[in-house]
């Protein structure tokens, strides 16, 4: 089953809020992202999640980058830990009340982060979105995905997917849809294989692809962090997980096209995509 991602899917997925809802009714996202020298990834994914309607955002990050992140993401609540001490963080405690978890944007690959990511996959009881360094860690032993407790979305670019799947890049490029679907079915995860005409594949055999939106200006460091934040925010709000992944791809690409119109492909930044998300949502719900 192969279908394009279109505006109707997004409108059927993203629901208008109940006027009587409070922030916890809308969804709580736990984001475990960022590390020393990579604070930007935590900031971009967090801002994207906030712009995508998450009710409450809880950021878990090293105390070394807290002074950098806190002033620019004042809407979040924070859990901090000592650098290299993530392995000792009580995952159940920090994930309490979360309706989805995002792990990996700028996380770094250390013994501590390896321990945490593997433990989170095995223990997380709500949908979990794995990106960037979480995927680099999983690539060392993808079989850990078979021991997951909850549904998982992975958001690799083609090189990350090559490491995860064991396929060389040219083989993946030759048939991205088949490569993504094969991995999705084998490991029971939703695969968002990023790139030109991003592919979303599900374990049930369904494949969606983004045919019409997006541009080369989005091919820059940080754009993937924005996408991860959008997808995670939608998942946290209780929307269907496959539809959340597809809608996140559509909204991210639409915001990227709006940013291109404003700044051009060469000068646009991932932060511009974040700031264009409100316009993207307004196009969905005029």
């Amino acid at each position: 089953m192969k279908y394009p991602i279109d505006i109707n899917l997004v409108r059927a997925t993203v629901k208008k809020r109940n006027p009587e809802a409070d922030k916890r009714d809308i969804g709580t996202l736990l984001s475990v992202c960022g590390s020393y020298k990579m604070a930007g990834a935590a900031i971009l994914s967090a801002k994207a999640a906030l712009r995508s309607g998450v009710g409450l955002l809880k950021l878990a990050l090293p105390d070394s980058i807290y002074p950098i992140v806190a002033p620019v993401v004042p809407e979040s609540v924070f859990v901090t830990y000592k650098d290299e001490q993530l392995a000792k963080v009580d995952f159940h405690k920090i994930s309490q009340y979360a309706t989805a978890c995002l792990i990996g944007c700028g996380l770094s690959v250390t013994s501590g982060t390896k321990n945490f990511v593997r433990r989170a996959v095995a223990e997380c009881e709500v949908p979990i979105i794995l990106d960037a360094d979480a995927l680099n860690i999983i690539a060392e032993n993808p079989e850990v995905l078979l021991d997951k407790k909850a549904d998982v979305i992975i958001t690799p670019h083609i090189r990350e997917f090559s490491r995860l799947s064991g396929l060389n890049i040219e083989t993946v490029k030759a048939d991205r849809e088949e490569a993504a679907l094969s991995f999705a079915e084998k490991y029971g995860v939703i695969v968002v294989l990023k790139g030109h005409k991003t592919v979303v594949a599900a374990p049930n055999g369904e494949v969606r692809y983004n045919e019409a939106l997006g541009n080369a200006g989005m091919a820059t460091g940080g754009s993937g962090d924005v996408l991860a934040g959008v997808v995670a925010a939608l998942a946290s709000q209780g929307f269907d997980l496959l539809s959340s992944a597809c809608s996140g791809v559509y909204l991210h690409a639409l915001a990227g096209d709006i940013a291109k119109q404003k700044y051009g492909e060469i000068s646009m930044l991932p932060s511009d995509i974040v700031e264009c998300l409100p316009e993207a949502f307004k196009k969905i719900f005029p």
Side-chain angles (χ1 to χ4, degrees):
M1 297 179 289
K2 175 181 170 183
Y3 309 97
I5 302 171
D6 60 23
I7 194 170
N8 294 321
L9 182 149
V10 184
R11 285 176 174 157
T13 301
V14 182
K15 310 299 183 184
K16 293 187 177 180
R17 294 183 176 182
N18 182 338
E20 297 181 0
D22 67 26
K23 58 181 177 288
R24 292 196 185 275
D25 293 330
I26 294 168
T28 298
L29 176 64
L30 169 65
S31 174
V32 187
C33 294
S35 59
Y36 184 64
K37 297 184 180 181
M38 288 191 284
I43 292 169
L44 287 168
S45 58
K47 286 190 168 185
L50 289 163
R51 286 295 192 188
S52 300
V54 68
L56 181 64
L57 177 63
K58 181 186 291 187
L59 290 184
L61 42 75
D63 55 8
S64 62
I65 64 172
Y66 172 77
I68 300 170
V69 179
V72 293
V73 194
E75 300 88 351
S76 178
V77 296
F78 292 89
V79 176
T80 62
Y81 54 87
K82 296 289 184 183
D83 285 17
E84 302 300 318
Q85 294 298 308
L86 184 57
K88 298 180 180 180
V89 170
D90 186 334
F91 178 75
H92 283 295
K93 183 177 180 179
I94 67 170
S95 64
Q96 191 175 23
Y97 308 119
T99 51
C101 293
L102 168 62
I103 301 177
C105 305
L107 189 63
S108 77
V109 178
T110 67
S111 59
T113 59
K114 288 179 181 181
N115 180 291
F116 180 85
V117 168
R118 292 164 184 159
R119 185 159 48 93
V121 171
E123 297 177 5
C124 192
E125 298 179 352
V126 297
I128 183 170
I129 294 82
L130 301 174
D131 184 52
D133 282 327
L135 299 178
N136 291 327
I137 290 167
I138 294 296
E140 295 181 0
N141 180 21
E143 302 300 309
V144 301
L145 293 172
L146 297 175
D147 295 325
K148 62 188 176 299
K149 185 172 286 188
D151 292 328
V152 170
I153 299 174
I154 64 171
T155 56
H157 56 58
I158 197 163
R159 288 175 177 79
E160 290 166 340
F161 185 77
S162 174
R163 290 191 286 271
L164 279 165
S165 64
L167 301 173
N168 65 54
I169 290 175
E170 292 308 314
T171 299
V172 178
K173 286 181 176 179
D175 195 339
R176 296 167 69 247
E177 294 171 2
E178 176 56 33
L181 179 58
S182 177
F183 192 93
E185 291 178 332
K186 180 177 181 179
Y187 293 103
V189 299
I190 294 171
V191 177
V192 179
L193 181 52
K194 299 181 290 193
H196 180 55
K197 298 186 177 180
T198 291
V199 172
V200 182
N204 66 1
E206 185 171 339
V207 176
R208 295 268 183 174
Y209 57 94
N210 174 37
E211 185 174 41
L213 299 175
N215 62 82
M218 301 173 73
T220 184
S223 290
D225 301 315
V226 176
L227 174 62
V230 178
V231 171
L234 297 178
S236 75
Q237 293 169 66
F239 305 140
D240 172 77
L241 213 57
L242 175 58
S243 297
S244 292
C246 293
S247 297
V249 167
Y250 187 96
L251 287 159
H252 177 253
L254 178 56
D257 285 349
I258 295 169
K260 175 187 172 181
Q261 292 173 0
K262 291 185 175 184
Y263 306 107
E265 283 188 348
I266 293 175
S267 296
M268 62 181 282
L269 300 171
S271 54
D272 297 326
I273 301 173
V274 174
E275 296 310 312
C276 289
L277 280 168
E279 289 187 53
F281 276 95
K282 286 173 71 174
K283 286 181 180 290
I284 303 299
F285 300 110

